[in-house]
Amino acid sequence: MSLPDSTTVLIVGAGPTGLAAALSLLHHGFRDFVIVDAVQHGENTSRALVVHPATLETLDTIGCGDDIVSQGIKTQKPQVGTRSGVLACADLAFLKRYTRHPYALIIPQNLTEHVLGTKLASLGVSVHRPLRVVGMKRNMENAQLTDVAFEDGSVITAKYVVGADGARSVVRTTAGIGFTDPMRPNAESLSNLAQMVLADVTFDAAEEDIPFTGTLSSNSFFLCAPMPSTFNEYLIANGHPSLTGKLYRIGSGVPLEDGEIPHSPSKEYLQNLVDRFGPYSLSSDPSVNPKSKPICIKDVIWATRFRNHAAIADTSFTRLGSSGSSEPGEPEGGIILLVGDAAHIHSPAGGQGMNLGLRDAIFLGEALTKHIHATEAKPLSEADVILRDFAAVRHARALEVIGLTKGLLSIMGSKPGEWVCWWLPISAATVRNWVLWIAGMLPFMQRKMGWELSGLGRK
C-alpha cells in the first residue's frame, strides 16, 4: 500500500487516540484522510488500564462502545486501603441513573487499540507503517497546505495535520507549540510517587477474586487489578503461546532513595515491591500473609517504568507558521491539531489519561467535519471559530483532569515523615488514612468518588 501524494486530513499516530480520530471521521461521513504511524507493528503496550463511563458513552457515539465493553471486566467498587484492610471504595453503581455504563471497565491499552484497529480495518482503512514524521513546512504553491516529510524520504501534502503522536509529539514540536506544566510545576517530583513501575504478571497461587485495589503503605502506593481473560487470549495469539494463569496489573511507587528503577524490572525486583508496599494478602512472606502461605510472582509478561509529571500544550489548534496576530485578512498556513498525549500528559492517578485522549479524538471528528463543510461557504477566519472553540473546550477539560490527578497523587503520595504540624506529631499519612476511613463509611462520599472518576461531568 503506497502513500498518496496528498490528502485532506493526515492523522499522525495510530494508537488508541489516532484510531479513534479516524473512526470519528468515518462516522461523520468523511473518508478523505490518511493515518500513519512510526512503528512497524502497533499494540505494543498495555500501559493504560481503565476506560471510564464518560469515555464509553463517547465511544458509543461512533459505534465502538459495545465492542470495547465485550473485551473488558466491569468493576463498580474499586477499593483503596492499607496493607491490612479496606479504607474506602468508590461507588460507580449509582451512576446507572445517569449512564448505561455504571462501571469502570478494566481493559489494557493494547487490547483497546486492537479493538479500534480491527474496527477501522473492517471499514476499509489501513494504517501506513512505518512512517516517522521528521519535518513539516508550508506548501510552496498553496499556503493553506502543509507538506509533511517522513524519515524514508516520502512526502505527503495535507490541509489538516492531526498530531496524535504522543507525549514527544513531533507534530507539536515542529509546529512550535509550547508544552509546560500549567500548575505547581515539578510538584510530582516532591512526592514519594515521583517514579513508578507498572507490570502485567501472573501469580503462582493467586486467588481468582483479587479485586481492583489500591494500597496505601507507609511510603508508597501499590495497585493490583485483575485483567480480563480476553487479554490472555489476545496474548496467546500474539507471541505468548505458553501463557497460563490469570493476569494481573500491578503498579507501585518507588521511593527516590531506592535509586533509579531498572530499565527492564526483573521478577525479583517486582516481587520486592509487592512485599514492601502491596497488601499483606499478596506477600511472599508466609509470616505476614494472613493466609499463612506465600504468594509469588510467577511470570512477568510486560513491565515499564516512568516518572510522574504533567504538561499541557499552549493550544491544540494553530496554523503552521502562524504569527498569532489579529491583523485583518484570511489566515494562512495549514491547520495543525493536537489530541491525546500530544496535547496533555499527567500522572496515571485515577486512570484518566487514555480516556481524555479518546474523548479528544472523537469530538475532533465532529469539529473537523463541521470545519471542512464551513470552509465551503464561509471565509476561513469565520470557519476557524469552530476549531478554536473545540481547542478551548479540550484545553479546559485537560486542565480539570490535570488538577484532579495532581490532587489524587498528593493524597496517595503522602510521606511518612510529613507531620500535620510541629506541635502535633502525627504523620500526614496517618491523618489521610483516618479521613479516608471516615469518608469511606459515608454513601455520599462513595458516590462522589465514583462521580469524579467517571468523567461524566467533564467530557
Side-chain angles (χ1 to χ4, degrees):
M1 179 179 60
S2 59
L3 185 73
D5 294 331
S6 63
T7 184
T8 300
V9 179
L10 174 67
I11 302 171
V12 180
T17 299
L19 294 171
L23 286 165
S24 184
L25 286 172
L26 290 174
H27 175 75
H28 289 93
F30 188 80
R31 298 190 66 93
D32 186 16
F33 66 86
V34 170
I35 180 169
V36 301
D37 197 85
V39 298
Q40 181 67 54
H41 302 287
E43 305 168 21
N44 295 311
T45 175
S46 70
R47 184 185 296 265
L49 182 65
V50 180
V51 180
H52 289 297
T55 308
L56 291 171
E57 283 194 350
T58 309
L59 286 163
D60 281 342
T61 67
I62 60 169
C64 295
D66 289 340
D67 293 337
I68 296 289
V69 170
S70 69
Q71 299 296 307
I73 295 177
K74 300 174 183 178
T75 181
Q76 294 185 316
K77 296 279 188 179
Q79 302 173 346
V80 63
T82 64
R83 301 192 69 192
S84 58
V86 176
L87 290 172
C89 65
D91 179 9
L92 283 85
F94 94 99
L95 296 173
K96 63 184 178 183
R97 69 187 73 170
Y98 305 108
T99 177
R100 66 185 288 259
H101 300 291
Y103 48 80
L105 189 77
I106 303 174
I107 180 170
Q109 178 173 324
N110 44 358
L111 194 50
T112 298
E113 184 178 330
H114 175 71
V115 172
L116 297 177
T118 300
K119 179 81 169 181
L120 189 64
S122 74
L123 296 172
V125 177
S126 298
V127 178
H128 293 258
R129 305 177 183 270
L131 286 172
R132 184 181 301 277
V133 174
V134 293
M136 301 189 303
K137 65 178 182 178
R138 284 189 185 183
N139 181 270
M140 296 292 289
E141 297 179 1
N142 187 338
Q144 309 299 340
L145 303 178
T146 300
D147 292 335
V148 181
F150 298 97
E151 193 174 49
D152 67 355
S154 58
V155 176
I156 188 171
T157 301
K159 184 176 181 180
Y160 304 83
V161 178
V162 178
D165 51 340
R168 295 181 176 86
S169 171
V170 176
V171 172
R172 184 190 67 235
T173 303
T174 307
I177 300 173
F179 196 57
T180 56
D181 192 328
M183 57 187 79
R184 292 181 293 161
N186 302 317
E188 291 86 348
S189 65
L190 303 177
S191 164
N192 59 8
L193 301 181
Q195 58 177 0
M196 298 188 71
V197 62
L198 296 176
D200 295 340
V201 305
T202 60
F203 292 106
D204 62 2
E207 301 290 341
E208 291 294 318
D209 60 351
I210 297 174
F212 189 119
T213 304
T215 301
L216 299 163
S217 59
S218 60
N219 57 354
S220 187
F221 177 82
F222 182 88
L223 171 76
C224 183
M227 304 287 258
S229 60
T230 50
F231 191 40
N232 286 63
E233 297 166 5
Y234 170 81
L235 291 175
I236 290 171
N238 291 273
H240 296 273
S242 60
L243 174 64
T244 59
K246 188 172 182 63
L247 278 165
Y248 290 86
R249 162 66 57 81
I250 61 171
S252 180
V254 179
L256 293 174
E257 52 266 29
D258 282 15
E260 188 176 352
I261 300 171
H263 180 69
S264 298
S266 66
K267 179 167 72 173
E268 293 73 23
Y269 185 89
L270 295 170
Q271 184 66 62
N272 177 260
L273 295 178
V274 175
D275 292 341
R276 290 170 62 195
F277 307 126
Y280 291 131
S281 58
L282 281 182
S283 176
S284 65
D285 183 352
S287 68
V288 301
N289 193 313
K291 299 174 184 177
S292 300
K293 62 179 182 180
I295 293 181
C296 301
I297 293 175
K298 179 183 176 184
D299 295 305
V300 178
I301 308 303
W302 168 85
T304 189
R305 62 178 182 173
F306 61 93
R307 283 185 171 266
N308 279 313
H309 60 285
I312 189 169
D314 294 341
T315 180
S316 55
F317 161 61
T318 190
R319 286 182 173 273
L320 189 65
S322 171
S323 64
S325 68
S326 57
E327 294 178 4
E330 287 294 87
E332 290 189 351
I335 289 174
I336 309 296
L337 296 151
L338 303 177
V339 289
D341 286 356
H344 42 70
I345 57 172
H346 48 77
S347 85
Q352 300 294 319
M354 185 178 70
N355 287 268
L356 185 60
L358 288 172
R359 299 198 296 267
D360 286 348
I362 293 168
F363 292 134
L364 174 62
E366 179 182 9
L368 199 49
T369 51
K370 284 182 177 178
H371 186 271
I372 291 168
H373 295 316
T375 57
E376 298 171 358
K378 298 180 179 180
L380 291 182
S381 56
E382 293 183 26
D384 281 3
V385 172
I386 296 169
L387 296 181
R388 287 198 192 95
D389 288 347
F390 162 82
V393 170
R394 300 322 301 165
H395 190 86
R397 294 295 178 267
L399 286 175
E400 292 171 3
V401 171
I402 288 173
L404 172 67
T405 57
K406 281 179 177 282
L408 290 172
L409 198 69
S410 67
I411 292 171
M412 297 187 303
S414 297
K415 294 182 179 180
E418 294 176 341
W419 305 113
V420 176
C421 52
W422 66 268
W423 48 267
L424 185 62
I426 299 176
S427 73
T430 298
V431 174
R432 170 201 64 193
N433 291 354
W434 288 349
V435 171
L436 284 173
W437 177 68
I438 293 171
M441 294 189 293
L442 303 174
F444 166 76
M445 292 304 298
Q446 294 175 9
R447 292 193 293 269
K448 181 172 177 56
M449 287 187 283
W451 178 261
E452 288 297 324
L453 291 174
S454 75
L456 291 170
R458 52 171 180 278
K459 287 184 183 180

